[in-house]
Every structure is written in C-alpha cells, then in structure tokens.
Amino acid sequence: MTASTELATWLVDQLVERGMTDAVLCPGSRNAPLSFALLADERVRLHTRIDERTAAFLALGLAKGSRRPVAVVTTSGTATANLHPAVLEAAHAGVPLVAVTADRPARLRGTGANQTTDQVRLFGDAASFADLVVPSPDALAAAWLPGGPIHLNCQLDDPLTPEPDSPERTDPSDRRVEGPITRDYPWWRDPDDDEVDVLALGPRTVVVAGDDSGPPARTLAEQANWPLLAEPSSGSRTGKNPIRTYRLLLGTDLGARVERVVVFGHPTLSRPVMRLLARKDVEVVSVRAQGRWPDRPSPVTSEHVAVRADADDPAWLEEWREADRSLGRRIDAFVAEQPGLTPYDVAAVVNAANPPGGLLFVGASNPIRDLDLMATAHPVGQRRMVLANRGLAGIDGTISSAIGATLGRPRSTRAIAYVGDVTFLHDTTALVIGPDEPRPDLTIVVANDDGGSIFATLEQGAPEHASSYDKLFGTPHGVDLAALCAATRTPHWRVTDRAELEHALASPNGGIEVVEAVIRRDNRRELDGAIRALAD
C-alpha cells in the first residue's frame, strides 16, 4: 500500500468512526487517494460535484439535515479557497463541516509547484486544523473539536493511485479512534441539573428565539407564561406562545413595556429585536448559543447554560396573544385585498404546504422575513424542521444546502426550499448533478421579482435614492428561469397567482423541481409600509 493510500484509507476510517455517513467529493488529481478510499468504503454515501463552493454547501446542508459530521474533499490550490464561505457559515452556526483538502508534500511548498498555495490554517480561526503527513491519531484528536468546522490538510505524495493488486483498505481491527467521538451532534442537549438556573418572576418578560434555539426556548415560554418571539428557523415556533407579528408589536406600547428578555440562539432577522436588546432599561438574560456568535448588541445582564422559571401571571401573555390575533387578522385581510400574487402570499402558501414532519429550507433576505410575518405556529405535536443558513445570513450556496439537508433526512419527508430569485441565481450550479448521483424530492419555490427587493425595504430604497437604486441595489437580471432549468433538465412551473401556487405545491412530482412564483418589485416598499401602519 502506498503512503498516500494508507493515509487516505486511515482518514476515511476515522471519519466514519466519528459518525460520518456522507461525504462530498470534487474531482482532482492530488486528492485521488482520498477519492479511491471514499469510493471503496461501503459505509459512506458519496456525492460528487464539479464546483467546490457548491460541494461545500451541499456538505453543510447534509450535516444540518442529518445532524452528523460531513466531509467535503477537494484537491489543492484554488479548490480549497472555494470552501471558505461554507466554512465561515459552519463556524458561526456551529455545524461540524469537515474540510478535507489535498496538498503537496511539505518539500514542494514555496517552490512554485503547479496548483499549490499555502493551505496551512487557510481558514484561520474559523476551523480547527491538522496538517496530516501520515496517520496520526493524536493530531486528528486535537483537531476534532465539537461545535464547528474542522480543516484536515493532507500531504499526499506520488503515487496518487493504489498499487495494482494491493489491498486498498486496512483491516477493521486495526482501527484505533482517539479523542472525542461525535456520531450525532444534537442542536439541543439536555443540561445537567446543576447547569439549570431558575429565573425570578415579576419583570415583564419575553423570550426571543433566534436561529437553532430549539425546544428549550418554547419550553421556558410555556413554563413561565411568557410571549415567545421565535424566528422561523429557531426550531421553537410551535405551541400557543409564539407571537406571529412580534416584529410589528415591538413598536407598540406592548414592546415599550418589556422589562426583560431571555435570548436563545442567535436572532438575526429583526431590527426591532436588536433595538429591544440594546435598550438600557431592559434586562438581557442570555442562554449560550451554539457556534461562534459575537457578543449580544447590548450588555448581557447574565449568561447561562440553561434556564427555567415557574408560572408567571398569564395576563402579560394574553395581552400579546390578543394583540397578535387582531393584527394578524388585519394583515391577512390586507394581503387578500391585493391584486395579483404578493410575496406575503408566497410565504403563507409555502408555510401551509409544509406538512408535519416536513422540511423547509428558507433563503436569506426577504423570504425568511416574509415567512416570519406570515407563518402561524403549528401545534406542538406537529413539528416541522425549518432550516436556514443564518450563521452569516448570506445567500451563498442556499440551493446546495437545501439539497443536502433533504438528502440528510428520510426519503419520505416532504421538502421545500423557499428562496428569492437572486439567491437562486447565485447557486445555479447546485442543479448540476450527475445522472448517477443521489437526488432528493425537493420543491424549490423561487419568489421572482427580478432583482434584490430586500433593499427596497431598507434605507437604500428611500425615494431620494430612486435614480441610482436599480443600478446599485435592485440589479434586475431578466433571466429566463425556465430556460435555465431546462439546461439542467430540472422541471419548472411558472405561477402568477395564489391558486396556481397552491396547486403547484399540492402535488409534487418527485425529484428536484422548481416553482417560479412571479411577483412585483416596484411596490415592495409601499406594501411593507402599509403593513407596518396596520400596527399603529
């Protein structure tokens, strides 16, 4: 067995023993030993992609959907740099993405050898790191840190293919796994009793559930009779405590009367929530989040591993619930009155189409904010998985992540991806999938308003910037999505009203399909302003 084959085979064994069941491979010469080792291991479901950025986000989605570590394997040079966006997302969201990069031997570093660059700690402190020359349990164990990405840089020397008629695998009895083993990574672990702190009752309190907060946020809100301000990807927007219209209600008298906020996860969607956390008259209780999040935007009064509370006076919760029901009815009536398909219609229909046990992957910018406003909470026993790349909240690799998350879940699960047109176009290589590759049953809903309408809702969309808006922010593209889908043989439907969209989502055909929901962009700012006015 060659030295490179031995290192590659050993490393695949170690990754499998640590819980890896899927790996994503990008073709290359230097990483050929890793490629052969992955293909030879029947314990690994191997996915091949031609674009490293797409591959990395596919691996990220697989890790989020399966809750297991997933490797993305590349050759040397620029291939490694294309993993950086997904590594950063994984670092901030606490996802165990394993970047396995092939490298030249150390003697060729700095010599100008073809396709070489300095790959040592290429991702900085965003990933733990090991530079592997030979099988080294100690080096791997030191790099295998929980709660984020791992970069394993493999120095692979010639020959890069297995020797003829030589065994390509070590005997399973020779495997020796060192260090912590992560076969499943739960987003929410059960804390030890001595880690749970009891919160005093009395202050008017709301529970804010950001991305990946999980059931603990809902549990606390229900224990204490507190309003739950839960983002769609929090994993806690179920039961009777979530306040659907919380972003608008925070600007009313109810929001002004908040005295304490208990924060789970990482809230990213709402400026009103950020302003609430920054208020000097509000006590902020932080429950430690997964991943490498920055400090809260206000001084944290106290930080905890886990918290609980006894039942508080339910009158405060009832005020929020009554205001929420009333405002929700006004919003729904306003949306129903609008001619044509609106982005709020799309969000409501997508939310209704996600069945119990289903998976919804939501893109950044307007789609997740529209879903936040329009999605009503489901009963506790009918949980859906709602995922999003909220670590850095970029549009990179969203379709790839959605495909990966769906592949990481059971085949019987209904899966929907809900994205904007710019997000879709940013990751069209996600649809470039070989004929023998695993394909999920995934309906991709694209809210197409021909450009970046998120900026219309921000200060950049103010009337005084109208002359420069499209060039700098709106960026209309005029792409024919049907033709784009045809190039990759992806089924495509174009809908222009709510009934057509409901019909398209009611009967998925299987495999990957795209439903293009055509909406307007020119009235986005006015629609948002009218909805905000309903809370006054």
Side-chain angles (χ1 to χ4, degrees), residues 95-121:
V95 177
L97 175 69
V98 185
V100 182
T101 57
D103 200 356
R104 293 324 194 249
R107 70 176 186 277
L108 295 180
R109 291 176 177 171
T111 66
N114 182 49
Q115 207 171 341
T116 60
T117 189
D118 185 1
Q119 295 177 195
V120 175
R121 301 193 182 279

Side-chain angles (χ1 to χ4, degrees), residues 195-420:
E195 294 179 317
V196 181
D197 298 316
V198 180
L199 300 180
L201 303 181
R204 288 188 288 268
T205 303
V206 297
V207 178
V208 169
D211 186 62
D212 278 355
S213 297
R218 173 186 59 81
T219 299
L220 177 67
E222 292 176 348
Q223 285 174 346
N225 293 320
W226 290 334
L228 177 57
L229 318 185
E231 294 182 1
S233 61
S234 64
S236 52
R237 196 164 179 159
T238 54
K240 297 181 179 180
N241 290 62
I243 305 299
R244 167 189 159 188
T245 61
Y246 68 91
R247 281 190 289 157
L248 300 176
L249 293 177
L250 284 175
T252 68
D253 174 66
L254 275 176
R257 292 161 54 203
V258 173
E259 298 173 329
R260 182 172 61 183
V261 183
V262 185
V263 186
F264 289 79
H266 183 61
T268 58
L269 291 183
S270 169
R271 288 187 178 186
V273 168
M274 296 298 102
R275 288 193 290 267
L276 174 66
L277 296 178
R279 276 171 43 186
K280 294 181 179 179
D281 63 333
V282 170
E283 176 188 356
V284 178
V285 176
S286 175
V287 179
R288 194 174 303 160
Q290 182 88 335
R292 303 182 181 189
W293 304 116
D295 292 337
R296 304 295 188 195
S298 68
V300 174
T301 307
S302 58
E303 188 168 359
H304 307 264
V305 173
V307 294
R308 70 173 180 84
D310 296 324
D312 212 339
D313 184 349
W316 171 243
L317 172 61
E318 286 307 312
E319 282 191 72
W320 279 85
R321 292 178 63 188
E322 178 53 38
D324 184 43
R325 286 190 291 264
S326 177
L327 180 54
R329 286 192 293 267
R330 295 197 297 275
I331 291 173
D332 292 342
F334 172 80
V335 171
E337 293 169 356
Q338 303 309 304
L341 189 65
T342 70
Y344 314 107
D345 287 308
V346 179
V349 172
V350 166
N351 181 65
N354 187 22
L359 170 65
L360 173 60
F361 203 103
V362 192
S365 299
N366 276 333
I368 195 164
R369 289 170 172 82
D370 295 338
L371 186 71
D372 190 44
L373 181 65
M374 299 303 295
T376 55
H378 299 291
V380 173
Q382 299 181 14
R383 292 187 64 244
R384 284 86 167 153
M385 177 177 274
V386 180
L387 298 177
N389 287 341
R390 299 305 300 174
L392 289 179
I395 65 172
D396 309 49
T398 303
I399 304 302
S400 299
S401 296
I403 291 173
T406 310
L407 287 169
R409 298 271 284 171
R411 288 286 295 177
S412 59
T413 299
R414 171 74 193 274
I416 301 173
Y418 168 37
V419 300

Side-chain angles (χ1 to χ4, degrees), residues 445-458:
V445 178
V446 183
N448 186 7
D449 56 11
D450 192 29
S453 64
I454 181 65
F455 302 105
T457 67
L458 305 175

